[in-house]
Amino acid sequence: MQTIIALLLLAASPDAATSTTGAETPAAKPVKVKKVCRPGSATGTRMSSKICKTQAEWDAQLGADSTKLDSQRGGN
């Protein structure tokens, strides 16, 4: 009888250990990247529009545009 009780306690102990510490960490929310909207203009229309991108995307486009402009000027 004591052997059966000991086996039952050993079998139940891993479940008891996890249930007492049961403070699971909540899933972290993904970081929402802020978009920056700027007025855009489409050729051939009077309608205004907005172009929304992240700041990193605006910076990358500015760098690409300046590189293209430099190459057209003669590679300064």
Side-chain angles (χ1 to χ4, degrees):
M1 184 70 142
Q2 290 177 349
T3 309
I4 295 173
I5 293 174
L7 289 174
L8 289 173
L9 288 174
L10 286 174
S13 64
D15 295 333
T18 57
S19 65
T20 57
T21 59
E24 293 182 19
T25 57
K29 293 183 180 179
V31 177
K32 195 170 189 179
V33 179
K34 186 177 178 183
K35 298 254 181 173
V36 179
C37 297
R38 296 182 182 171
S41 60
T43 304
T45 182
R46 293 183 188 186
M47 300 293 289
S48 63
S49 64
K50 280 195 235 179
I51 301 171
C52 298
K53 298 179 184 182
T54 63
Q55 187 61 47
E57 292 172 332
W58 283 116
D59 293 341
Q61 182 179 354
L62 181 64
D65 290 346
S66 65
T67 302
K68 185 177 178 181
L69 187 61
D70 287 341
S71 68
Q72 289 176 351
R73 286 184 182 167
N76 288 336

